[in-house]
Amino acid sequence: MPQNKKNLPIIVKFKRQSQTVFVTATPRETFGVLVTRLVDTINKTGGLKLENEPIGLDNEDDDGNEDAELPEIDIPKPSFETASSDEEQQNSDEKDTDAGNVQLDAEKLKFALPRDPSDIYQGGFEDMDCKTSDKMSNLALTDYSVIAFALKDEDFRICQPTIDEDEDGE
């Protein structure tokens, strides 16, 4: 018997600054479930970076030095590792707060939809008018819809990916 497409999960892209988090939800679930999955995903990967600006992919610094050192990127520990001492856990917890990351709570977030879904970077955003109890099927979201998120005290902003080219166009 073929599966009813109305019951298939959809993937929603949550975007903030240069970060994108993919979260799935079925039409029967609520927006609150979707937000809980977003918060859990961010918290399990080290928390939300307060300043999450894009990192350039070129190897040159501002002086044209090709041997410039690339910025260090934190790589989260896999969640399947079970062997750790109390001291390692304490050091890991201290590192998360020192790195400018914060653990999220759903009440600290606000959400918006792009005014123009075909140009999510230029059209601006409209606050989402929904409750955590609203069913996904009532939100008119489609597969790969974009929802901008921000902390309550900041503006909605998502960064557009760009390709840096040298002056020669190479």
Side-chain angles (χ1 to χ4, degrees):
M1 176 181 245
Q3 224 177 6
N4 185 351
K5 288 190 176 189
K6 286 185 171 184
N7 294 325
L8 291 177
I10 63 166
I11 297 171
V12 178
K13 297 188 290 186
F14 283 93
K15 292 181 153 294
R16 177 186 172 268
Q17 296 178 4
S18 67
Q19 180 179 27
T20 302
V21 180
F22 294 84
V23 181
T24 60
T26 65
R28 293 180 181 176
E29 293 175 320
T30 63
F31 184 68
V33 169
L34 192 68
V35 171
T36 299
R37 287 185 183 143
L38 169 71
V39 169
D40 288 347
T41 300
I42 291 172
N43 287 340
K44 287 179 182 178
T45 57
L48 183 73
K49 284 188 175 194
L50 294 177
E51 296 298 323
N52 198 0
E53 296 300 318
I55 299 171
L57 297 177
D58 58 353
N59 286 3
E60 295 184 21
D61 61 11
D62 292 338
D63 299 329
N65 179 6
E66 290 188 21
D67 296 326
E69 193 172 314
L70 293 175
E72 190 172 314
I73 299 173
D74 289 336
I75 300 173
K77 268 188 169 179
S79 61
F80 56 83
E81 286 187 25
T82 57
S84 78
S85 69
D86 292 338
E87 184 178 319
E88 285 178 6
Q89 184 63 37
Q90 182 178 1
N91 289 341
S92 174
D93 293 343
E94 290 171 6
K95 183 179 177 188
D96 287 345
T97 56
D98 291 340
N101 295 354
V102 295
Q103 292 294 302
L104 279 185
D105 189 337
E107 287 79 36
K108 295 180 182 178
L109 297 176
K110 60 183 180 178
F111 302 93
L113 293 172
R115 284 190 185 109
D116 180 3
S118 66
D119 187 4
I120 63 173
Y121 303 104
Q122 304 299 324
F125 303 96
E126 291 181 14
D127 288 336
M128 284 188 74
D129 185 27
C130 68
K131 299 177 183 104
T132 56
S133 60
D134 288 347
K135 295 274 187 190
M136 292 298 299
S137 58
N138 298 334
L139 295 179
L141 296 173
T142 60
D143 214 11
Y144 295 103
S145 289
V146 171
I147 298 176
F149 73 100
L151 295 171
K152 293 229 179 193
D153 61 344
E154 66 184 13
D155 293 330
F156 291 107
R157 189 173 69 78
I158 56 176
C159 301
Q160 183 172 6
T162 60
I163 298 175
D164 293 330
E165 295 184 10
D166 358 2
E167 295 173 15
D168 299 336
E170 295 177 12

